[in-house]
Each structure stands twice: as C-alpha cells, then as structure tokens.
Coordinates of all heavy atoms in Angstrom, one line a residue:
T21 N 29.3 -50.8 -110.7 CA 30.5 -51.3 -110.1 C 31.7 -50.4 -110.4 O 32.6 -50.1 -109.7 CB 30.8 -52.7 -110.5 OG1 29.6 -53.5 -110.1 CG2 32.0 -53.3 -109.8
Y22 N 31.7 -50.2 -111.7 CA 32.8 -49.1 -112.1 C 32.8 -47.9 -111.5 O 33.8 -47.4 -111.0 CB 32.9 -49.0 -113.7 CG 33.9 -48.0 -114.3 CD1 35.2 -48.3 -114.2 CD2 33.4 -46.8 -114.7 CE1 36.1 -47.5 -114.7 CE2 34.4 -45.8 -115.0 CZ 35.6 -46.2 -115.1 OH 36.6 -45.3 -115.7
V23 N 31.7 -47.3 -111.5 CA 31.5 -46.0 -110.9 C 31.8 -46.1 -109.4 O 32.6 -45.2 -108.8 CB 30.1 -45.3 -111.1 CG1 29.8 -44.2 -110.2 CG2 29.9 -44.9 -112.6
A24 N 31.3 -47.1 -108.7 CA 31.6 -47.1 -107.2 C 33.0 -47.5 -106.9 O 33.5 -47.0 -105.9 CB 30.7 -48.3 -106.7
L25 N 33.7 -48.2 -107.7 CA 35.1 -48.6 -107.4 C 36.0 -47.8 -107.9 O 37.3 -47.7 -107.5 CB 35.3 -50.0 -107.7 CG 34.5 -51.1 -106.9 CD1 34.7 -52.5 -107.4 CD2 34.7 -50.9 -105.5
A26 N 35.8 -47.2 -109.1 CA 37.0 -46.3 -109.8 C 36.7 -44.9 -109.8 O 37.6 -44.1 -109.6 CB 36.9 -46.9 -111.3
L27 N 35.4 -44.3 -109.9 CA 35.2 -43.0 -109.9 C 34.8 -42.3 -108.6 O 34.9 -41.1 -108.5 CB 34.1 -42.7 -111.0 CG 34.5 -43.1 -112.3 CD1 33.1 -42.7 -113.3 CD2 35.7 -42.4 -112.8
A28 N 34.4 -43.1 -107.5 CA 34.1 -42.4 -106.3 C 35.3 -41.9 -105.7 O 36.4 -42.5 -105.7 CB 33.4 -43.6 -105.5
P29 N 35.1 -40.7 -105.0 CA 36.2 -40.1 -104.3 C 36.7 -41.0 -103.2 O 36.0 -41.7 -102.6 CB 35.8 -38.8 -103.9 CG 34.2 -38.9 -103.9 CD 34.0 -39.8 -105.0
T30 N 37.9 -40.8 -102.8 CA 38.6 -41.5 -101.7 C 38.1 -40.9 -100.4 O 38.2 -39.7 -100.2 CB 40.0 -41.6 -101.8 OG1 40.4 -42.1 -103.0 CG2 40.7 -42.4 -100.7
D31 N 37.7 -41.7 -99.4 CA 37.3 -41.1 -98.1 C 38.4 -40.6 -97.4 O 39.6 -41.2 -97.5 CB 36.5 -42.2 -97.3 CG 35.9 -41.7 -96.0 OD1 35.2 -40.8 -96.2 OD2 36.3 -42.4 -95.0
G32 N 38.3 -39.5 -96.5 CA 39.5 -39.0 -95.7 C 39.8 -39.9 -94.7 O 41.1 -40.0 -94.3
L33 N 39.0 -40.6 -94.0 CA 39.3 -41.4 -92.8 C 39.7 -42.9 -93.2 O 40.8 -43.4 -92.7 CB 38.3 -41.4 -91.9 CG 38.0 -40.2 -91.2 CD1 36.7 -40.3 -90.3 CD2 39.1 -39.8 -90.4
M34 N 38.9 -43.6 -94.1 CA 39.2 -44.9 -94.3 C 39.9 -45.2 -95.6 O 40.4 -46.3 -95.8 CB 37.8 -45.7 -94.4 CG 37.0 -45.7 -93.1 SD 35.4 -46.6 -93.2 CE 35.9 -48.1 -93.6
G35 N 40.0 -44.2 -96.5 CA 40.8 -44.4 -97.6 C 40.0 -45.2 -98.7 O 38.8 -45.1 -98.8
T36 N 40.6 -46.1 -99.5 CA 40.1 -46.7 -100.6 C 39.2 -47.9 -100.1 O 38.4 -48.4 -100.9 CB 41.1 -47.3 -101.5 OG1 42.1 -48.1 -100.8 CG2 41.9 -46.2 -102.2
V37 N 39.4 -48.4 -98.8 CA 38.6 -49.4 -98.3 C 37.1 -49.1 -98.2 O 36.3 -49.9 -98.4 CB 39.1 -49.9 -96.9 CG1 38.3 -51.0 -96.3 CG2 40.6 -50.4 -97.0
Q38 N 36.9 -47.8 -98.1 CA 35.5 -47.3 -97.9 C 34.6 -47.5 -99.1 O 33.4 -47.7 -99.1 CB 35.4 -45.9 -97.5 CG 34.2 -45.5 -97.0 CD 33.3 -44.6 -98.0 OE1 33.9 -44.3 -99.0 NE2 32.1 -44.5 -97.8
R39 N 35.3 -47.5 -100.4 CA 34.6 -47.7 -101.6 C 33.9 -48.9 -101.8 O 32.8 -49.0 -102.5 CB 35.6 -47.7 -102.9 CG 36.2 -46.2 -103.0 CD 37.0 -46.2 -104.1 NE 37.7 -45.0 -104.3 CZ 38.7 -44.6 -105.0 NH1 39.1 -45.6 -105.9 NH2 39.4 -43.6 -105.1
I40 N 34.3 -50.0 -101.1 CA 33.6 -51.4 -101.2 C 32.2 -51.3 -100.6 O 31.3 -52.1 -101.0 CB 34.5 -52.4 -100.5 CG1 34.1 -53.8 -101.2 CG2 34.4 -52.5 -99.1 CD1 34.4 -54.1 -102.6
M41 N 32.0 -50.4 -99.7 CA 30.6 -50.3 -99.1 C 29.7 -49.7 -100.1 O 28.5 -50.1 -100.0 CB 30.6 -49.3 -97.9 CG 31.5 -49.9 -96.8 SD 31.3 -49.0 -95.2 CE 31.2 -47.4 -95.5
Y42 N 30.0 -49.0 -101.2 CA 29.1 -48.7 -102.3 C 28.6 -49.9 -103.0 O 27.5 -49.7 -103.7 CB 29.9 -47.7 -103.2 CG 30.3 -46.4 -102.6 CD1 31.6 -45.9 -102.9 CD2 29.5 -45.7 -101.9 CE1 31.9 -44.6 -102.3 CE2 29.8 -44.5 -101.1 CZ 31.1 -44.0 -101.5 OH 31.4 -42.8 -101.1
V43 N 29.3 -50.9 -102.9 CA 28.8 -52.1 -103.7 C 28.2 -53.2 -102.6 O 27.1 -53.6 -103.0 CB 30.0 -53.0 -104.3 CG1 29.6 -54.3 -104.9 CG2 30.7 -52.0 -105.3
H44 N 28.7 -53.3 -101.4 CA 28.2 -54.2 -100.6 C 26.8 -53.9 -100.0 O 25.9 -54.6 -99.7 CB 29.2 -54.5 -99.4 CG 30.3 -55.5 -99.9 ND1 31.5 -55.2 -99.9 CD2 30.2 -56.8 -100.2 CE1 32.2 -56.2 -100.4 NE2 31.4 -57.1 -100.6
V45 N 26.7 -52.6 -99.5 CA 25.4 -52.3 -98.8 C 24.2 -52.3 -99.8 O 23.2 -53.0 -99.4 CB 25.5 -50.8 -98.3 CG1 24.2 -50.3 -97.8 CG2 26.6 -50.7 -97.2
P46 N 24.2 -51.9 -101.1 CA 23.0 -52.1 -101.9 C 22.8 -53.6 -102.2 O 21.7 -54.1 -102.3 CB 23.4 -51.3 -103.2 CG 24.3 -50.3 -102.9 CD 25.2 -51.0 -101.8
T47 N 23.9 -54.4 -102.3 CA 23.8 -55.8 -102.5 C 23.1 -56.4 -101.3 O 22.2 -57.4 -101.5 CB 25.1 -56.5 -102.7 OG1 25.8 -55.8 -103.8 CG2 25.0 -57.9 -103.0
A48 N 23.4 -56.0 -100.2 CA 22.8 -56.6 -98.9 C 21.3 -56.3 -98.9 O 20.4 -57.1 -98.6 CB 23.3 -56.0 -97.6
W49 N 20.9 -55.0 -99.3 CA 19.4 -54.6 -99.3 C 18.7 -55.4 -100.4 O 17.6 -55.9 -100.0 CB 19.4 -53.1 -99.7 CG 19.6 -52.2 -98.4 CD1 20.6 -51.6 -98.1 CD2 18.6 -52.0 -97.4 NE1 20.5 -50.9 -96.9 CE2 19.1 -51.1 -96.4 CE3 17.2 -52.5 -97.2 CZ2 18.5 -50.7 -95.3 CZ3 16.7 -52.0 -96.1 CH2 17.2 -51.2 -95.2
V50 N 19.3 -55.7 -101.5 CA 18.6 -56.5 -102.5 C 18.5 -57.9 -102.0 O 17.5 -58.5 -102.3 CB 19.3 -56.4 -103.8 CG1 18.9 -57.4 -104.9 CG2 19.4 -54.9 -104.4
A51 N 19.5 -58.4 -101.4 CA 19.4 -59.8 -100.9 C 18.2 -60.0 -99.8 O 17.5 -60.8 -99.9 CB 20.7 -60.2 -100.3
F52 N 18.2 -58.9 -98.9 CA 17.1 -59.0 -97.9 C 15.7 -58.9 -98.5 O 14.8 -59.6 -98.1 CB 17.3 -57.8 -96.8 CG 18.3 -58.1 -95.9 CD1 19.3 -57.2 -95.5 CD2 18.4 -59.4 -95.3 CE1 20.3 -57.4 -94.7 CE2 19.4 -59.6 -94.2 CZ 20.3 -58.6 -94.0
L53 N 15.6 -58.0 -99.6 CA 14.4 -57.9 -100.3 C 14.0 -59.2 -101.0 O 12.8 -59.6 -101.0 CB 14.5 -56.7 -101.3 CG 13.2 -56.4 -102.2 CD1 12.0 -56.1 -101.4 CD2 13.6 -55.5 -103.2
A54 N 15.0 -60.0 -101.6 CA 14.8 -61.1 -102.2 C 14.2 -62.2 -101.2 O 13.3 -63.0 -101.5 CB 16.0 -61.6 -102.9
F55 N 14.8 -62.1 -100.1 CA 14.4 -63.2 -99.1 C 13.0 -62.9 -98.5 O 12.1 -63.8 -98.4 CB 15.5 -63.1 -97.8 CG 16.7 -63.8 -98.0 CD1 17.9 -63.2 -97.7 CD2 16.7 -65.1 -98.6 CE1 19.1 -63.8 -98.0 CE2 18.0 -65.7 -98.9 CZ 19.2 -65.1 -98.6
F56 N 12.7 -61.6 -98.4 CA 11.4 -61.3 -97.9 C 10.3 -61.5 -99.0 O 9.3 -62.0 -98.7 CB 11.4 -59.7 -97.5 CG 10.0 -59.3 -97.2 CD1 9.4 -59.6 -96.0 CD2 9.2 -58.6 -98.1 CE1 8.1 -59.2 -95.7 CE2 8.0 -58.1 -97.8 CZ 7.3 -58.5 -96.6
M57 N 10.6 -61.3 -100.2 CA 9.7 -61.6 -101.4 C 9.4 -63.1 -101.4 O 8.3 -63.6 -101.7 CB 10.3 -61.1 -102.6 CG 10.1 -59.4 -102.7 SD 10.8 -58.9 -104.3 CE 9.8 -59.5 -105.5

C-alpha cells in the first residue's frame, strides 16, 4: 500500500487519482478468486 500510494510515479493524464488503481485492481482480483474458491 505504501509503495502503490506514495512511491509510484504520477500518471501524466490522470494525475494522482490513477495511483488508487494500484490498490483496487489487485484487491478485486483477490475478491473474485475468493468467491470462486
């Protein structure tokens, strides 16, 4: 979480809002995996 929100470089188009995808996308994948399991 620290690396994704603090150390990741800022995106040129979306700015700092894009950083939250580094946390949400893997969380969604893990949730889908848990539901499937």
